[in-house]
Amino acid sequence: MTKVARTPSSFSPVAAPQTLAELEFDRALAAVARHAVSDLGAAAVRARLPQADADAVGAELVTVAELATELDERGGFEPRAVPDIGEVLRALETPGSVLDGEQLRELWAALVAMREVAAQLWALADDAPRVAALAVEVPPQKLERAIDRAIEPDGRVKDDASPALKRARRRLRETRERLVADLEGMLRGLASHEAGRDADVTLKGGRYVIPVRREARSRVKGIVHGESSSGATLFVEPSEAVELGNALAQCEAEDARETLAVLRGLTDQARPDSGLIESGWEMCVAADDLYARARFALACEAHLPELEAPPAALAIRGGRHPLLVAESGSAVPFDLVLARDERTVMVSGPNAGGKTVLLKAVGLTSALAQAGVLPPVGAGTVLPVFRRIFSDIGDHQSIDASLSTFSAHVAALKAILIDADDGGLVLLDELGGGTDPVEGASLAGAVLLSLHGRRPVTIATTHLSQLKELAAATDGLVNASLDFDAENLTPTYRLRMGKPGRSYGLAIARRMGLPDPVLALADELTPEHARSVEATLAELERREAELARREAEVEEARVRLDTAEAVAR
């Protein structure tokens, strides 16, 4: 490829490679790229990166939504796959270069594709003007026709590509047939023991020869051009055939000259239009890139989010993890809606409850949107166009760098605290873990309060009760949890804003068969304060469950009453 690119040269990265890796951004782009019709379109999708220009991001997403609507309501648009003609373009930019037959055939396929794609785009001018704006002027069709008249689909130059080539190939064919016939006559004049079984005219070193047994070499005068692997057979060009063989070589040279003349003529015809060819090719790739993103948006039932410059409130409605939607077709939706003065969310709950998945879903939703991909979100979603996205997710332990898990997390937090401001999104997984719980909670609280003062949107997960209490006591810090079926001890993956979650550590251990004496001792060793917090949360859950049960009973009674009244009438 040459100049087909999605990122300006002055691009300043929104997210570091480590952050994009933690969010599985490349894997998400690969899922989008599967909707492309060509390898080049898929590569363009995979090359996308988040950008912080709100106007550019907004224009990209509106265009994707426009094409998605067009595909959903009317269909019919599907860009034609275009080959990679990067080498062809480089050759056209080099004076005196000549394209070979295969390259010209690739150019022909690209010309056909760009003409068809441009026509499809222009046809959308009324219904999808932003999409239609991708259309560019394409080279005249006479170049496409000239290549098709002269070059076979496999890249061979046709016999009638020019009158001179047609004459040269006729002479070449006639001379070869006469030479082969003469050699076959000579071969038939040899005894079977002199020529060998199933002997035939063959080519060696570009010269036509006949096989002769070594012991019969004196029977055939001429030039030896090789021998068999055993050495028993010699390949001889008889003296009588040398002159005709030379004539054949001259015919072949003439054929090569006339073939080159055809190739040079077509190359020279294409060279003045190289600019149009390049822009048309890039149009095809861009249309396929856009098509893949529109098909992904339809497959995910994505809605166009409203974009705001930071600092702005984050409001994800009906959000789903993009990879779960793309690869399994379903994901539990979540609503994460912050008021303008709410900048930090503390998500708590049990292990395997979906906290990390939620964290990645938020980060991936923002990164994809800022890369021009409509993420799977619902109507009413508002996304700030973050200037930077930071993350500390997973285990960064490094033996080579002599870093423990805790040390690696501290190093990551240090970098975040240096750069994060009100234009950033910060994602922190298991904040305060990996060290003494008391010190870990103190450090985590200090990090949260420091970030909260600098006002990036911060989403953190934790098991620590102290952080849940900190969120409850601090304006602008919001507790959240992922629902957990306390009776069956299974996660529901439903996000609850405004309520911290229980860890269920002892309950899960009991379900998994840990001995009762061990569990009883663990309960005794749990600090009174922690037991009190867990007991309060458990009582809150019990009351909410009871309230939900009563509401269901009331609704069931209302339905029965409405049915009875309808029957009575």
Side-chain angles (χ1 to χ4, degrees):
M1 291 178 64
T2 55
K3 299 178 182 177
V4 177
R6 304 268 66 86
T7 304
S9 57
S10 59
F11 177 77
S12 178
V14 169
Q18 178 65 36
T19 290
L20 294 179
E22 289 174 358
L23 297 178
E24 298 180 275
F25 181 74
D26 287 351
R27 189 173 153 205
L29 285 184
V32 180
R34 285 196 286 270
H35 294 275
V37 300
S38 70
D39 291 342
L40 288 177
V45 172
R46 292 194 299 269
R48 289 188 160 271
L49 289 171
Q51 57 176 317
D53 185 331
D55 291 337
V57 170
E60 284 270 15
L61 294 185
V62 169
T63 305
V64 175
E66 188 179 80
L67 181 56
T69 299
E70 177 68 22
L71 294 174
D72 189 41
E73 294 180 354
R74 283 171 287 276
F77 177 85
E78 181 175 333
R80 183 174 179 133
V82 63
D84 188 346
I85 58 169
E87 288 188 8
V88 171
L89 290 169
R90 285 190 287 274
L92 292 178
E93 293 170 357
T94 305
S97 62
V98 178
L99 299 174
D100 63 30
E102 290 182 357
Q103 290 175 317
L104 283 165
R105 202 65 199 185
E106 285 181 346
L107 175 57
W108 174 85
L111 291 168
V112 171
M114 62 184 72
R115 179 170 49 81
E116 291 185 4
V117 170
Q120 287 194 75
L121 291 171
W122 282 322
L124 297 176
D126 293 335
D127 297 322
R130 288 177 176 269
V131 179
L134 287 177
V136 299
E137 180 185 357
V138 297
Q141 198 170 358
K142 64 180 182 181
L143 174 59
E144 176 188 325
R145 290 170 176 160
I147 295 173
D148 197 36
R149 282 195 301 267
I151 308 296
E152 298 280 8
D154 62 3
R156 290 182 298 111
V157 178
K158 295 180 180 179
D159 288 356
D160 56 358
S162 74
L165 179 60
K166 188 173 185 178
R167 290 192 297 271
R169 288 193 173 172
R170 183 177 63 250
R171 285 193 293 270
L172 174 63
R173 185 168 53 253
E174 291 171 351
T175 303
R176 180 185 294 114
E177 289 173 353
R178 190 163 67 253
L179 174 59
V180 170
D182 288 354
L183 290 171
E184 286 176 341
M186 297 177 194
L187 194 56
R188 286 194 297 271
L190 296 175
S192 58
H193 68 278
E194 294 174 327
R197 183 177 298 178
D198 300 324
D200 203 356
V201 176
T202 188
L203 265 173
K204 288 291 180 182
R207 305 291 290 194
Y208 280 90
V209 297
I210 59 175
V212 178
R213 293 285 188 179
R214 182 176 290 275
E215 57 268 23
R217 171 70 179 85
S218 60
R219 287 271 289 120
V220 181
K221 304 298 182 183
I223 303 169
V224 176
H225 289 282
E227 61 183 44
S228 65
S229 57
S230 65
T233 300
L234 303 176
F235 297 100
V236 181
E237 181 182 16
S239 300
E240 302 94 313
V242 170
E243 184 176 349
L244 197 53
N246 290 340
L248 178 63
Q250 291 175 354
C251 290
E252 289 172 341
E254 183 183 8
D255 171 68
R257 284 194 302 272
E258 296 304 330
T259 297
L260 179 61
V262 170
L263 297 174
R264 186 181 299 281
L266 291 171
T267 302
D268 290 344
Q269 186 176 344
R271 186 166 277 119
D273 290 323
S274 61
L276 292 180
I277 293 170
E278 182 169 14
S279 62
W281 177 57
E282 291 182 342
M283 171 197 66
C284 291
V285 178
D288 193 10
D289 172 9
L290 177 62
Y291 175 79
R293 289 179 285 143
R295 296 297 307 180
F296 177 80
L298 285 176
C300 293
E301 300 180 349
H303 287 72
L304 179 66
E306 180 183 344
L307 301 179
E308 291 189 5
L314 175 68
I316 299 178
R317 300 182 186 275
R320 291 161 294 151
H321 193 295
L323 274 173
L324 293 180
V325 174
E327 296 180 357
S328 68
S330 64
V332 177
F334 65 90
D335 290 338
L336 198 163
V337 180
L338 300 180
R340 190 163 292 275
D341 61 340
E342 294 175 338
R343 308 295 294 173
T344 307
V345 181
M346 177 57 60
V347 184
S348 52
N351 284 324
K355 299 190 301 299
T356 303
V357 172
L358 172 71
L359 204 64
K360 290 185 175 182
V362 173
L364 194 51
T365 291
S366 293
L368 286 176
Q370 291 183 219
V373 176
L374 279 176
V377 295
T381 293
V382 179
L383 297 177
V385 180
F386 296 110
R387 291 189 292 270
R388 293 289 303 275
I389 299 175
F390 306 91
S391 70
D392 179 28
I393 301 172
D395 184 354
H396 305 304
Q397 179 174 298
S398 171
I399 295 175
D400 291 339
S402 299
L403 289 178
S404 66
T405 297
F406 178 70
S407 298
H409 284 309
V410 171
L413 289 173
K414 176 184 175 182
I416 292 170
L417 288 168
I418 290 172
D419 294 327
D421 58 20
D422 62 0
L425 171 65
V426 178
L427 307 168
L428 305 174
D429 195 24
E430 297 298 346
L431 186 60
T435 188
D436 176 81
V438 175
E439 290 188 349
S442 299
L443 180 60
V447 168
L448 277 182
L449 291 176
S450 178
L451 288 171
H452 193 58
R454 302 181 70 167
R455 297 190 59 74
V457 172
T458 301
I459 304 173
T461 69
T462 188
H463 286 286
L464 300 174
S465 299
Q466 296 93 320
L467 297 185
K468 304 174 193 178
E469 294 174 350
L470 178 66
T474 306
D475 291 340
L477 265 69
V478 182
N479 267 310
S481 61
L482 285 149
D483 271 349
F484 197 75
D485 185 336
E487 183 176 344
N488 297 307
L489 295 180
T490 56
T492 68
Y493 305 110
R494 297 194 179 280
L495 180 65
R496 295 281 300 275
M497 297 296 293
K499 173 194 166 186
R502 297 170 58 195
S503 293
Y504 289 96
L506 294 180
I508 292 173
R510 181 172 288 107
R511 170 61 64 88
M512 296 186 68
L514 215 61
D516 288 341
V518 174
L519 293 169
L521 182 57
D523 191 52
E524 290 178 11
L525 292 174
T526 302
E528 180 61 33
H529 176 72
R531 275 206 301 268
S532 175
V533 171
E534 285 293 303
T536 300
L537 292 176
E539 177 61 19
L540 180 59
E541 285 183 2
R542 189 193 65 76
R543 290 182 181 181
E544 287 179 342
E546 178 65 18
L547 179 60
R549 185 186 64 78
R550 290 183 180 180
E551 288 176 346
E553 290 176 351
V554 170
E555 177 62 18
E556 185 179 340
R558 187 191 64 76
V559 170
R560 286 199 301 269
L561 180 59
D562 289 347
T563 302
E565 288 178 349
V567 171
R569 285 196 297 268

